[in-house]
Amino acid sequence: MMIGSAAVRRDEAGRFCLNDLHRASGGERRHQPGEWIRLGQTEDLVEELAKSADPRSYPIDTRVGRGGGTYVARELVYAYAMWISAAFHLQVIRAYDQLQAAPAGPSALVALDDPATLRGLLLTYTERVESLQARVHHQEPQVRALQQLSGADGAFNITTAAKMLQIKPRQLFAWLEQNGWIYRRAGSRNWLAYQPRLNTGVLSHKAIVTSGSDDVQRVHEQVLVTAKGLTRLGELINREQLGWTPADHTRGQQLAVPA
């Protein structure tokens, strides 16, 4: 989709890149996608869309690395654009209408009549298959370990989850905050999970009792990453660099904190 001279990418599920939309809107700091994602009304909208969404196509998906960004369903694109301004909202609506009205490309049958085109398509397809097979072979141990862990009992604090994902804890805290998984209330140092993340079972809360210098006991909630959440993070945060092994899975279960 083109908005002015800016191209907005789509992923394989048809979701649009919010980061591209942010740049197309002018790229103001106050309009960063993370600020919009943290809004209560955004959480409610995502939750409503998730009820009727295809399980394979969640309304919002965030990925890192090459081609990364936050990708959202069309309804969320409209909501984000409206949050920025009425003018940008109208611009996005017109861009989407233009995208839908664009004529389809050349007929596949016409292309296959050309021997050179057919040969090129076959070569490209073969290269893609070989590349996918290599990636599947490389990722098989990681995928198997993540699948095993997804069925494990218990949950992990964020520092432990970061160690298991082989990234620094401060990087995971920053990622979770920027991508609408956790937040802090004004004046508080404690992290809390956004309600949609609790509803989908990727995060949970645990009550922690602490004693201050005045010997008064206080109760606060600690955010835990569930086994399901750890699996999801493993898929989102550059799985190719995780290097999971069966030993990692065993160590992870030993470190599990009962939910």
Side-chain angles (χ1 to χ4, degrees):
M1 182 169 67
M2 297 297 299
I3 299 180
S5 60
V8 179
R9 292 168 291 169
R10 299 181 76 175
D11 65 6
E12 62 279 359
R15 294 170 293 218
F16 295 88
C17 182
L18 273 189
N19 307 79
D20 292 344
L21 284 163
H22 177 232
R23 283 188 285 270
S25 72
E28 292 187 34
R29 186 180 181 84
R30 63 193 178 100
H31 292 151
Q32 288 181 338
E35 298 296 324
W36 175 74
I37 291 173
R38 284 190 282 269
L39 297 175
Q41 61 187 20
T42 303
E43 293 182 26
D44 293 342
L45 182 55
V46 171
E47 192 170 354
E48 284 299 316
L49 288 172
K51 292 178 181 178
S52 58
D54 187 323
R56 297 166 298 179
S57 179
Y58 195 71
I60 183 168
D61 184 54
T62 302
R63 61 196 71 177
V64 297
R66 187 174 182 181
T70 298
Y71 292 80
V72 300
R74 173 178 53 84
E75 294 88 347
L76 293 176
V77 169
Y78 288 158
Y80 174 66
M82 185 185 299
W83 175 70
I84 291 177
S85 71
F88 186 63
H89 185 210
L90 183 59
Q91 194 176 3
V92 167
I93 291 174
R94 288 173 174 169
Y96 184 80
D97 288 346
Q98 187 176 7
L99 175 66
Q100 293 299 102
S107 168
L109 293 176
V110 173
L112 294 178
D113 283 339
D114 180 7
T117 300
L118 179 59
R119 185 165 54 251
L121 290 172
L122 289 174
L123 286 173
T124 301
Y125 175 76
T126 302
E127 291 171 353
R128 288 181 177 177
V129 169
E130 291 176 348
S131 175
L132 286 172
Q133 288 176 338
R135 289 179 61 187
V136 168
H137 177 73
H138 173 72
Q139 294 180 357
E140 185 178 0
Q142 296 97 309
V143 173
R144 185 167 56 250
L146 286 169
Q147 288 174 338
Q148 289 174 336
L149 193 56
S150 68
D153 293 328
F156 313 85
N157 62 46
I158 295 177
T159 299
T160 299
K163 292 177 181 177
M164 297 175 69
L165 293 169
Q166 297 188 3
I167 60 176
K168 295 179 180 179
R170 60 179 176 80
Q171 292 176 318
L172 183 55
F173 275 103
W175 190 96
L176 292 172
E177 181 185 19
Q178 291 169 6
N179 292 279
W181 284 52
I182 61 175
Y183 69 99
R184 279 175 171 160
R185 291 196 181 100
S188 174
R189 298 178 58 186
N190 299 324
W191 292 103
L192 296 172
Y194 280 107
Q195 191 60 44
R197 306 301 179 181
L198 296 173
N199 293 345
T200 55
V202 295
L203 295 178
S204 65
H205 282 152
K206 177 181 179 181
I208 302 293
V209 179
T210 59
S211 297
S213 57
D214 53 2
D215 292 329
V216 176
Q217 290 189 331
R218 295 177 175 84
V219 178
H220 65 85
E221 290 184 307
Q222 179 185 26
V223 176
L224 299 178
V225 180
T226 65
K228 178 181 177 181
L230 191 62
T231 303
R232 183 61 178 149
L233 289 171
E235 294 171 350
L236 293 173
I237 305 179
N238 201 355
R239 181 191 292 171
E240 291 186 359
Q241 294 182 0
L242 292 180
W244 280 70
T245 66
D248 292 321
H249 167 60
T250 302
R251 185 170 65 253
Q253 288 187 313
Q254 293 172 346
L255 294 171
V257 178

